[in-house]
Amino acid sequence: MNHNIVILGSQWGDEGKGKIVDFLTDKANAVVRFQGGHNAGHTLVINGEVTKLRLIPSGILHDGVMSFIGNGVVVSLEALSSEMNELLARGVPVFDRLRISEACPIVLPVHVALDNAREAALGDQKIGTTKRGIGPAYEDKVARRAIRIGDLRAPQNLKQKLKTLLNLHNFTLKEYYKVEDQFDVEETYQQLLEYAKTILPMINDVSAELNAIRKKGGKIIFEGAQGTLLDIDHGTYPYVTSSNTISGTVASGAGFGPCYLDAVIGITKAYTTRVGSGAYPTELDDEVGEHLGVKGCEFGTVTGRKRRTGWLDLVALRRAIEINSITSICLTKLDVLDGLKELKVCVAYELDGEQVEYPPYDNADYVRCTPVYEVLSGWEGESVFDKRKWNDLPAAARSYVGFVEKKLGISVDIVSTGPERSQNVIVKDVF
Ligand code: IMP
């Protein structure tokens, strides 16, 4: 039986992880975020009610389940507070259910200004970030000058650290980027102290708590944010996010050792989407792409940006399976393919006249890759929407799933057939 599982995106993010985490949380004792920040966006639909989460783990809506924000997450106190207030207003007992690592670096308003200034300076080379200050916050972490959640407990040291940090960033903004934004130490300090009043009671040693749950035989879900192809090391650098998004990050980002993990579920959309710049060989710029965008509601949860859309890419998926040690796939949004006459699946790339089976690490090479497709028939006239049993899926839909399994040598354990928590075909229980 699986106890500790990782659920992560195997593509470029927005695979529908939130819904699956939320649905599996019924059987879990804890849900943990281990990387990223409020650049993530999870939309949950429960009994028709939509909840959008950015920072707080998707398990928060469940009674008897603890939610943890691990040290690998960068935390905007502003975003956290507003998300908490929304949940509290709906009667969710956030203070009882949420714990935050004291080692989380804080995303400050100055990081947002730096993110904006950098993107503007890059012009048409811009990354297309979510402009939430995530990258600059991680930079401060690695430079060992970050303000961390635990610093809120020692106001005197906090003020000194803040002064050093803001002096540096104010200088960079003014002298290098030539922008107006400047950040006052006292004002930022007072804001942090105000947030500290609500945040401090939830601070905890997340690693110790998780291991205590493990020792008692509890079940833990580690909830990834973004997707594998946006990983800072293995993604389409530099068009990536600034954290490691892969399963190995559970160890560093939550303090939970790799040998304690039992399964890694790769959440995989039945087609692909991407937001922001960077290589995307199967991108569609036609009416099929439009169909996927409209029917799949492919607009960013965080930024509202229209997502780029394309066919399923098994080359990228092959890499994702291997670097994450994905044990099975959950194929989401299969219903979005309803109504399409034929379906293309990318099985290899062609680069400089040769077939390649793995995505290149260099974005300049990656953009020159062209997809090699196999064409499968769609299930036009039939629908997978709301189906709950494997045999109720149209034959062509079953073939599509079978094709993916065969080509990648992996099993598809869950097929998601609609946005509601209950709209799934469970082929095999993952817990
Ligand atoms: P950042 O994470 O805001 O620095 O943005 C870096 C890249 O990651 C951009 O291409 C973003 O669009 C992308 N990104 C960040 N978070 C998400 C997400 O949750 N889903 C999809 N793309 C994301």
Side-chain angles (χ1 to χ4, degrees):
M1 192 205 291
N2 292 331
H3 277 89
N4 307 309
I5 64 173
V6 188
I7 296 194
L8 49 74
S10 64
Q11 296 155 324
W12 284 275
D14 310 311
E15 296 92 349
K17 299 176 283 291
K19 169 190 152 165
I20 302 300
V21 172
D22 183 57
F23 145 75
L24 290 173
T25 299
D26 277 342
K27 295 183 179 166
N29 300 92
V31 183
V32 190
R33 281 279 309 268
F34 55 93
Q35 48 75 226
H38 65 306
N39 50 348
H42 291 162
T43 309
L44 307 175
V45 187
I46 300 160
N47 299 330
E49 191 173 16
V50 177
T51 305
K52 293 194 176 192
L53 298 171
R54 286 146 285 166
L55 203 48
I56 297 179
S58 308
I60 195 74
L61 302 177
H62 293 249
D63 194 16
V65 178
M66 288 302 293
S67 285
F68 292 93
I69 297 181
N71 58 279
V73 177
V74 287
V75 175
S76 154
L77 298 182
E78 195 186 339
L80 179 61
S81 296
S82 82
E83 207 166 309
M84 280 173 61
N85 288 339
E86 274 172 49
L87 291 166
L88 287 166
R90 286 181 39 196
V92 180
V94 180
F95 291 103
D96 298 338
R97 293 185 188 168
L98 181 64
R99 295 292 173 265
I100 306 166
S101 166
E102 62 182 288
C104 292
I106 296 177
V107 183
L108 297 165
V110 71
H111 294 130
V112 179
L114 283 166
D115 202 349
N116 278 301
R118 290 202 189 134
E119 284 286 272
L122 282 168
D124 58 10
Q125 304 291 305
K126 71 174 194 286
I127 310 293
T129 72
T130 58
K131 298 190 177 165
R132 296 295 188 269
I134 306 297
Y138 273 115
E139 287 169 38
D140 276 351
K141 167 181 171 168
V142 177
R144 289 163 291 188
R145 58 173 175 246
I147 310 289
R148 307 204 302 179
I149 297 258
D151 290 324
L152 298 174
R153 286 199 298 229
Q156 212 36 49
N157 297 344
L158 170 66
K159 197 165 192 175
Q160 189 48 46
K161 283 188 183 176
L162 205 52
K163 198 170 163 189
T164 313
L165 189 80
L166 290 182
N167 276 348
L168 170 72
H169 291 328
N170 280 335
F171 179 83
T172 309
L173 286 166
K174 187 164 168 226
E175 302 300 331
Y176 185 80
Y177 289 112
K178 312 283 183 209
V179 296
E180 296 294 313
D181 310 78
Q182 291 288 284
F183 293 84
D184 183 62
V185 176
E186 187 59 32
E187 196 185 324
T188 312
Y189 175 68
Q190 291 303 334
Q191 281 169 354
L192 289 179
L193 291 188
E194 197 50 40
Y195 287 128
K197 290 180 199 156
T198 41
I199 306 298
L200 279 177
M202 293 183 293
I203 292 187
N204 219 326
D205 182 335
V206 167
S207 170
E209 287 235 352
L210 293 177
N211 280 287
I213 295 173
R214 173 182 65 77
K215 286 176 201 163
K216 279 193 230 144
K219 291 184 170 159
I220 307 176
I221 295 175
F222 293 89
E223 175 181 20
Q226 291 85 47
T228 303
L229 276 297
L230 290 173
D231 182 273
I232 182 79
D233 289 294
H234 296 281
T236 51
Y237 193 89
Y239 301 102
V240 289
T241 192
S242 32
S243 62
N244 284 107
T245 57
I246 59 174
S247 59
T249 314
V250 166
S252 59
F256 198 83
C259 293
Y260 298 140
L261 297 175
D262 301 307
V264 180
I265 316 299
I267 310 297
T268 305
K269 194 141 58 178
Y271 50 99
T272 51
T273 58
R274 173 163 202 173
V275 263
S277 320
Y280 188 6
T282 65
E283 183 167 14
L284 290 167
D285 200 10
D286 57 10
E287 69 281 6
V288 177
E290 195 64 20
H291 168 106
L292 299 174
V294 173
K295 201 166 166 63
C297 300
E298 299 295 355
F299 297 90
T301 314
V302 174
T303 58
R305 282 183 292 175
K306 190 169 186 276
R307 296 175 185 144
R308 299 156 72 190
T309 52
W311 292 118
L312 186 62
D313 181 341
L314 300 189
V315 182
L317 213 43
R318 185 172 297 121
R319 171 86 74 201
I321 289 169
E322 293 181 2
I323 57 184
N324 290 302
S325 64
I326 289 176
T327 47
S328 68
I329 279 180
C330 164
L331 199 66
T332 58
K333 297 182 104 167
L334 190 64
D335 54 301
V336 174
L337 301 183
D338 277 4
L340 293 175
K341 195 176 163 70
E342 61 177 30
L343 306 169
K344 291 185 183 170
V345 179
C346 171
V347 293
Y349 297 153
E350 230 170 65
L351 176 62
D352 300 332
E354 292 197 10
Q355 281 212 359
V356 290
E357 294 191 355
Y358 285 95
Y361 272 90
D362 185 343
N363 190 67
D365 287 334
Y366 208 157
V367 289
R368 290 186 298 113
C369 288
T370 52
V372 177
Y373 286 121
E374 285 198 30
V375 183
L376 282 76
S377 57
W379 45 92
E380 224 187 355
E382 291 181 275
S383 170
V384 306
F385 182 72
D386 201 33
K387 297 287 188 292
R388 318 282 170 115
K389 290 192 184 123
W390 176 253
N391 285 331
D392 290 346
L393 293 175
R398 280 182 270 138
S399 298
Y400 187 76
V401 177
F403 181 81
V404 173
E405 289 185 310
K406 192 159 167 237
K407 282 280 172 191
L408 295 171
I410 195 151
S411 66
V412 172
D413 285 352
I414 303 173
V415 179
S416 162
T417 55
E420 283 278 350
R421 174 152 85 186
S422 54
Q423 290 174 320
N424 305 293
V425 172
I426 311 293
V427 182
K428 190 173 161 233
D429 200 351
V430 298
F431 255 128

